[in-house]
Amino acid sequence: MRKTVIPVLLAISLSAYAQETKQADTAKTTKIEEVVVTSLGIKRQARSLTYSSQQIGGDELTEVKTPNLLNSINGKVSNVQINKTNGGVGGSVRITMRGDKSTRNSQPLYVIDGVPIVNNTGITGTGGPNVDYFSGMPDTGDVLSTINPEDIESINFLKGASAAALYGSQGSNGAVLIVTKKGVAGRSSISFSSSITFDDVYNLPKLQNSYLQSTPYNAATGATGTYDSWGAKGASKDYVKNFFDTGITRINSLSFQAGNEKTTNFFSLGSTNNTGVIPTSTFDQYNINYRNSSKFLNDKLTLDANVMASLQDSKNRLTPGSYFSPISNLYWLPRGIDFDQFSGDNYTYFNNTRFLPAQNWWAIRPDGGFEDSETQNPYWILNKNPVTTKNKNFYGSASLSYALNSWLTAKLRGNYNYYNSDTQRNIYAFSNNTVSGINGKLSKNTIEKTTTYSDFILAGSPKISDNLSFDFTVGTSISDLKYTITNIENNRLFTANLFTLNNLAWNGEGNGYKIDTPHRQDQSVFASANFGYKRLLYLDLTYRVDWSSTLSKAPKNNFDYYSAGLNSILSDVFKLPEAINFWKVRASYATVGNALDPTSTNPQPIFNGGVITGSYSSAPVDIVNFPQFAYLFPQPEMNKTFEAGTEFRLFNNRLSFDFTYYNSNVSNQYLKNVSTGGSIYGTNLAGIDISAGKIQNTGFESSLSYKVLDSKKFGWTVAVNASANKNKIKEVFPIGFYTGSGDVKPFFLTGGGYNGIKVGGSFGDIYGTAFLRDAQGRIVVTAEGVPQLAADRQTYLGNPNPKFMLGFNNTFNIGKVNINFLIDGKFGGKVLGITQALNDKKGVSQVSADARDNGGVSIANAAYANGTTYTGKTDARAYYDVVGGSGGINEAYMYNATNVRLRQASISYQFSINGKYFKDATLSLIGTNLFFLYNKAPFDPEQVSGVNPGGVGVDILGMPVTRSIGFSVKANF
């Protein structure tokens, strides 16, 4: 069947270029007859879609502004999980749709005006910092963070493989289609918008100030004392709250648009300026955008061109972990020490021996050594270990469309994207010698990325009959990605505190200079077709073949896939009650490939300072010497997805409802650096890269919108998004790959050493240390009542992903007053709070003080090794010395991840002026992330360190939760 369909599809395919277009406003108001943007920029009537699609209008993105436009979507789109990184304003966003699907990268493809771009995430991008104590560099942002939300007309979320099938391997995880604004014929206007928000820290860790340093610090003798607070009862000042500043974010945008029947223009300028809650932390971004659309040759030829550019400059984005985090040294400051002696300008003094600024800190001994490898003055870290990131992004695209006749159009499109990210940390002399050399240290990471894409498409809508409609597209495309990734670590500066590349010595230890130049090219042909019968039955078919350079040494360098979808407009087929205005059912099936990363099948030597290190960029199984293992050689992932759904419109279209069930199975997962710890079928293949494993996601997603009241004087619209996803690891390694106990070992994901996959588990399961328990499940304690650590250091502890997600959005219109609030809930899951564990062991947490006040820790369900029940109280310090800290018992710090928050709220008033030049203005009071209605974790369960596959649900000294409240104004001229 498949082989007979392919030749037909290569000659015919689907398009809606000939259809009339109408801009959709928002997902709440989109009507079934309106046109939405789908794959390859194709515009389709919503009624004809055979898969789930949800669109957000530009007004919803700017209702309450955030520097990264995707943060404005959280809670508004069903089954889309958005996690922002904890570095601060302008950071990256980790987004997954319908669950995690890939051990490499589950983020969707981003498309601007129909042409794909590559976001700066994943293995060949900035995955961001790992969940690690020694994270040296912060999250550096991504391409999406550089886009001005005021330039966006709409965003459409294609969540399934069927919806994104025409985008090829890049669309395996779904696609986010961004449509930018352009001028409107017959109208000239100027718009100005400005907002200012104030960011405050809340939900800080609960810390104690009633127990002092164990061995007191003595400034007179230089005795540092101990780096903990298990001392005598006393009083200590709370320095934590006063450390954080009130952050201020200013976002401004000015746009011009004009047009006539032949040409339209849109031009905008934007800026985002932030001073963060962390002292000295700043973020500045500047945007420029221009789009022109013109018609020639009696309107047969259309040129659409767009240019976007941005500059970002950030300083002292928070880095997770303890070594470069000012907040760790603030939390852990031994109680009783007067921090005022070391804060502000007192963080440094002039060293008369070396004629250099030196660090002033209680933990520095007279000999210059530090009491602990992780301790430094928070203000020294901010001023003398500063980290800066400079990002440059340029995006240009052009599209030529020519109407060959009344039903056939040829289209040539292309884009070019240049992205440069330069991050540098300067570590001055007199820093802790764990992180610095005697003259200081320079750390520098740069990523330079160029992406080009072009395609040629023939699209047509020939008329067959009044009852049968037929649209088709056939085309070819080529994409090319080039990276230059440079990583420098050098603690051998010739001249102290001179942080330039020509001041670095490259002999000896303590330095590294690595340059990686991955290159990927994909070539494709594709076709699709859409048949419609009497506007009540639609059939979609797609087919695509990709040739990828990432498979250069693989037995086969191309792969193909297809999709089929069918829907029926039952409200046109049957006579239904008058209350039902529209009813559609739909179903689709798709297979979508996902190519590998560069050099996966063609290993390249790794150079460090110009010398081959002996390591390679990849290690695919050697099928020349071991042909029996050819099935393990890296190959493209394959996503097979089925979905079915229905849509309703009721009560004169006041109520709309959409429901989708889906099932996806992604096989051939790319597992890197697999260590068998022994043999596979008698052959030692430790440390290899293979394709194996299968990940399944099943679930549902639904959205409901109801106009409770609909009048000019008072309106009330309720929108609810609800979804659930169940992820299951069906397979990791083939049967027999491991022997003995290896069968139960998890494979850990990039991003930290806590999240792994194992057969029967779920993506991102958290593994760690656990309590030693007896046969009855009781915690085994020593004679002193101290819990013991189980021998297995990789015990399953929980999964951080929510089991159910809910967004509840309310909009009220009272005359010219608009009120909107969004409640967002994530239900289920478990997260790991290592910050709390560290605070407990240091004795600075309120929990540790309460335990001392109560005479010790009561351990529920505990017993001695001989089986006798333990009912006493364990000494607080002895308990937390074993359970807390970096080497403690992770199980004790697993928390319920359920959280419900007031995500967004706004109150606005529109002034209708209708003057000669001044048309109208809107003044708003806005707020985001205002407060939790429910949260049991001592941190934000949604926050992540980076956008890696792993690291989700683990907090190691991340950014405290912040709320933003402010004002915005928008004026139209």
Side-chain angles (χ1 to χ4, degrees):
M1 172 67 180
R2 179 178 173 185
K3 297 300 183 182
T4 61
V5 171
I6 290 173
V8 177
L9 293 182
L10 287 174
I12 60 175
S13 56
L14 168 157
S15 176
Y17 293 124
Q19 297 179 357
E20 293 295 324
T21 62
K22 181 180 179 181
Q23 294 174 348
D25 183 15
T26 69
K28 295 182 290 188
T29 61
T30 297
K31 297 178 182 178
I32 203 65
E33 298 297 338
E34 287 184 330
V35 172
V36 295
V37 178
T38 62
S39 297
L40 296 176
I42 296 170
K43 297 179 176 67
R44 298 271 304 276
Q45 282 191 342
R47 67 180 290 130
S48 69
L49 299 182
T50 61
Y51 46 79
S52 173
S53 170
Q54 193 167 352
Q55 184 161 291
I56 292 289
D59 290 342
E60 285 195 78
L61 299 175
T62 57
E63 204 167 39
V64 178
K65 292 184 178 180
T66 57
N68 191 317
L69 63 92
L70 290 178
N71 286 321
S72 302
I73 298 168
N74 216 333
K76 296 180 181 179
V77 183
S78 180
N79 217 351
V80 175
Q81 186 174 352
I82 297 175
N83 302 93
K84 70 176 184 178
T85 54
N86 57 22
V89 172
S92 302
V93 171
R94 183 183 191 271
I95 178 171
T96 55
M97 303 192 294
R98 296 183 177 178
D100 287 279
K101 305 176 186 68
S102 172
T103 56
R104 294 182 292 135
N105 183 14
S106 293
Q107 297 233 82
L109 172 69
Y110 295 94
V111 181
I112 298 178
D113 297 326
V115 185
I117 66 168
V118 177
N119 200 23
N120 198 40
T121 58
I123 293 178
T124 52
T126 53
N130 293 341
V131 174
D132 190 5
Y133 295 96
F134 197 76
S135 291
M137 293 298 200
D139 167 57
T140 60
D142 55 18
V143 173
L144 271 295
S145 69
T146 67
I147 297 177
N148 182 2
E150 290 285 352
D151 295 338
I152 305 302
E153 180 68 38
S154 65
I155 299 181
N156 196 14
F157 291 81
L158 307 183
K159 291 172 272 189
S162 297
L166 279 181
Y167 280 117
S169 60
Q170 299 176 81
S172 178
N173 298 320
V176 178
L177 313 184
I178 300 170
V179 178
T180 63
K181 291 179 180 178
K182 60 181 180 180
V184 179
R187 189 175 72 184
S188 298
S189 64
I190 301 174
S191 294
F192 172 75
S193 66
S194 180
S195 70
I196 180 170
T197 55
F198 303 92
D199 311 320
D200 291 313
V201 167
Y202 75 102
N203 203 40
L204 283 163
K206 294 180 180 180
L207 305 174
Q208 65 91 9
N209 292 288
S210 57
Y211 287 91
L212 306 180
Q213 189 178 16
S214 300
T215 302
Y217 163 72
N218 189 325
T221 62
T224 62
T226 52
Y227 196 24
D228 55 48
S229 297
W230 289 102
K233 190 86 172 178
S236 182
K237 185 178 177 181
D238 182 1
Y239 297 102
V240 175
K241 292 181 180 179
N242 292 332
F243 174 80
F244 295 99
D245 293 335
T246 297
I248 301 175
T249 303
R250 302 175 181 86
I251 303 177
N252 296 286
S253 182
L254 179 65
S255 65
F256 305 83
Q257 60 176 313
N260 54 39
E261 293 181 356
K262 294 295 184 180
T263 185
T264 62
N265 294 279
F266 180 87
F267 176 78
S268 72
L269 297 168
S271 67
T272 301
N273 305 98
N274 167 265
T275 54
V277 295
I278 302 291
T280 73
S281 173
T282 60
F283 173 80
D284 296 290
Q285 174 175 298
Y286 300 94
N287 296 80
I288 186 170
N289 178 34
Y290 175 68
R291 183 174 182 182
N292 172 269
S293 183
S294 300
K295 297 179 180 180
F296 308 91
L297 305 179
N298 294 324
D299 297 344
K300 289 187 176 183
L301 180 66
T302 301
L303 169 66
D304 193 357
N306 188 19
V307 173
M308 292 189 294
S310 66
L311 297 174
Q312 285 185 346
D313 192 348
S314 65
K315 179 182 179 181
N316 280 341
R317 243 181 210 154
L318 188 67
T319 303
S322 57
Y323 287 87
F324 291 107
S325 172
I327 62 175
S328 66
N329 292 277
L330 193 67
Y331 293 165
W332 301 340
L333 179 74
R335 302 309 189 247
I337 291 179
D338 183 6
F339 184 60
D340 292 334
Q341 297 181 21
F342 308 100
S343 64
D345 294 335
N346 296 327
Y347 76 89
T348 185
Y349 68 93
F350 189 76
N351 182 280
N352 292 317
T353 302
R354 298 194 62 190
F355 299 101
L356 295 172
Q359 183 174 181
N360 182 28
W361 190 229
W362 69 270
I364 301 176
R365 299 187 295 265
D367 63 1
F370 284 75
E371 174 63 27
D372 188 272
S373 63
E374 298 174 79
T375 184
Q376 289 198 103
N377 189 318
Y379 288 98
W380 177 270
I381 292 175
L382 295 173
N383 291 280
K384 298 302 181 182
N385 294 169
V387 60
T388 58
T389 298
K390 298 181 184 296
N391 294 338
K392 302 174 184 177
N393 187 55
F394 172 84
Y395 173 84
S397 68
S399 172
L400 277 174
S401 178
Y402 185 78
L404 298 173
N405 54 39
S406 61
W407 58 268
L408 184 62
T409 300
K411 198 163 191 175
L412 178 64
R413 308 180 304 178
N415 71 5
Y416 172 80
N417 182 214
Y418 173 81
Y419 181 85
N420 182 283
S421 179
D422 187 345
T423 301
Q424 182 167 318
R425 185 182 291 278
N426 301 333
I427 305 173
Y428 282 65
F430 289 99
S431 296
N432 193 312
N433 54 15
T434 304
V435 299
S436 178
I438 189 156
N439 284 338
K441 180 179 179 179
L442 182 145
S443 298
K444 187 179 182 69
N445 295 342
T446 61
I447 293 180
E448 185 176 65
K449 173 178 69 83
T450 59
T451 306
T452 55
Y453 173 92
S454 63
D455 61 30
F456 176 75
I457 295 172
L458 281 176
S461 301
K463 184 176 180 179
I464 299 177
S465 70
D466 292 337
N467 293 331
L468 184 63
S469 64
F470 172 52
D471 302 318
F472 68 86
T473 297
V474 60
T476 181
S477 67
I478 182 171
S479 63
D480 193 89
L481 283 75
K482 293 180 180 179
Y483 290 88
T484 300
I485 303 172
T486 304
N487 298 295
I488 296 175
E489 295 278 342
N490 193 296
N491 63 6
R492 299 174 61 82
L493 280 65
F494 289 111
T495 302
N497 300 342
L498 178 60
F499 302 101
T500 60
L501 298 184
N502 59 356
N503 188 44
L504 305 179
W506 295 105
N507 57 317
E509 297 181 358
N511 57 68
Y513 194 158
K514 298 179 181 179
I515 300 177
D516 191 18
T517 57
H519 183 198
R520 170 179 173 176
Q521 185 175 107
D522 296 291
Q523 301 174 9
S524 310
V525 294
F526 49 84
S528 59
N530 173 256
F531 300 90
Y533 177 69
K534 289 186 176 181
R535 287 174 49 84
L536 53 82
L537 186 67
Y538 294 91
L539 173 66
D540 270 343
L541 300 170
T542 71
Y543 178 74
R544 182 175 177 121
V545 182
D546 285 348
W547 291 265
S548 178
S549 66
T550 66
L551 305 174
S552 61
K553 296 294 183 179
K556 184 180 179 182
N557 66 356
N558 73 292
F559 50 101
D560 60 340
Y561 37 91
Y562 58 94
S563 71
L566 183 69
N567 82 31
S568 178
I569 313 301
L570 297 183
S571 53
D572 289 347
V573 176
F574 304 105
K575 184 174 178 57
L576 301 174
E578 291 185 2
I580 302 177
N581 305 109
F582 179 84
W583 182 19
K584 180 176 83 170
V585 293
R586 61 178 187 266
S588 63
Y589 177 81
T591 64
V592 181
N594 189 5
L596 298 170
D597 293 306
T599 75
S600 296
T601 61
N602 186 15
Q604 299 298 306
I606 295 176
F607 290 82
N608 186 0
V611 178
I612 298 179
T613 64
S615 300
Y616 288 80
S617 58
S618 58
V621 61
D622 185 356
I623 59 176
V624 175
N625 294 319
F626 302 101
Q628 67 272 33
F629 303 130
Y631 68 97
L632 295 175
F633 194 85
Q635 57 185 298
E637 294 175 353
M638 187 58 66
N639 182 354
K640 299 180 179 180
T641 297
F642 169 79
E643 71 172 69
T646 186
E647 298 173 46
F648 286 96
R649 300 290 188 276
L650 304 171
F651 313 126
N652 293 322
N653 293 315
R654 290 179 62 178
L655 185 148
S656 62
F657 176 71
D658 191 310
F659 178 88
T660 303
Y661 164 83
Y662 61 89
N663 180 304
S664 75
N665 288 272
V666 183
S667 57
N668 300 331
Q669 298 288 332
Y670 184 56
L671 309 180
K672 194 171 178 63
N673 193 28
V674 174
S675 179
T676 62
S679 63
I680 168 175
Y681 311 132
T683 304
N684 189 355
L685 292 177
I688 58 174
D689 302 342
I690 66 174
S691 278
K694 180 184 293 184
I695 297 175
Q696 181 185 76
N697 284 278
T698 58
F700 76 88
E701 58 202 25
S702 61
S703 61
L704 182 147
S705 177
Y706 181 55
K707 294 182 180 179
V708 182
L709 298 170
D710 188 17
S711 68
K712 293 182 179 180
K713 292 185 178 181
F714 188 80
W716 175 20
T717 300
V718 175
V720 179
N721 295 301
S723 62
N725 182 75
K726 183 178 181 180
N727 181 285
K728 187 173 183 180
I729 308 301
K730 304 288 288 185
E731 176 188 310
V732 179
F733 303 106
I735 297 175
F737 187 84
Y738 276 120
T739 57
S741 62
D743 290 326
V744 297
K745 290 182 179 180
F747 174 81
F748 284 94
L749 302 167
T750 302
Y754 297 93
N755 302 95
I757 59 172
K758 189 169 69 173
V759 173
S762 297
F763 195 99
D765 283 342
I766 297 175
Y767 293 88
T769 53
F771 289 106
L772 177 65
R773 297 179 183 271
D774 61 17
Q776 301 179 40
R778 297 178 298 180
I779 296 174
V780 178
V781 298
T782 64
E784 294 76 24
V786 178
Q788 298 184 63
L789 187 67
D792 185 3
R793 297 299 182 98
Q794 297 177 354
T795 301
Y796 169 75
L797 302 177
N799 186 279
N801 295 307
K803 297 179 180 179
F804 180 74
M805 297 190 294
L806 179 69
F808 181 57
N809 200 4
N810 284 265
T811 302
F812 299 90
N813 306 104
I814 308 171
K816 295 184 178 181
V817 177
N818 294 317
I819 302 172
N820 175 269
F821 68 88
L822 171 65
I823 296 174
D824 180 25
K826 307 291 192 298
F827 302 88
K830 296 285 186 179
V831 290
L832 174 59
I834 294 180
T835 301
Q836 184 68 38
L838 297 169
N839 292 344
D840 284 351
K841 183 160 186 175
K842 298 287 187 184
V844 298
S845 66
Q846 185 60 49
V847 171
S848 68
D850 292 341
R852 282 172 273 188
D853 291 339
N854 296 329
V857 178
S858 296
I859 306 175
N861 194 28
Y864 294 105
N866 62 10
T868 305
T869 300
Y870 175 69
T871 58
K873 288 187 175 182
T874 304
D875 176 75
R877 184 170 188 178
Y879 176 85
Y880 287 115
D881 191 55
V882 171
V883 173
S886 58
I889 301 177
N890 301 141
E891 182 186 355
Y893 296 96
M894 294 296 295
Y895 300 93
N896 185 353
T898 296
N899 67 96
V900 182
R901 73 185 78 198
L902 181 58
R903 173 77 67 179
Q904 178 178 300
S906 65
I907 302 174
S908 63
Y909 182 84
Q910 185 176 22
F911 299 88
S912 298
I913 299 172
N914 295 321
K916 184 177 181 180
Y917 300 109
F918 196 2
K919 296 180 180 179
D920 59 67
T922 302
L923 179 65
S924 304
L925 172 65
I926 58 178
T928 58
N929 207 36
L930 292 167
F931 55 84
F932 286 103
L933 297 170
Y934 180 90
N935 181 33
K936 293 299 183 182
F939 56 95
D940 187 346
E942 294 183 15
Q943 197 164 256
V944 294
S945 296
V947 295
N948 300 289
V952 179
V954 183
D955 171 57
I956 296 185
L957 297 163
M959 175 76 80
V961 183
T962 60
R963 67 165 60 91
S964 301
I965 300 175
F967 304 91
S968 70
V969 62
K970 186 171 185 177
N972 296 310
F973 301 88

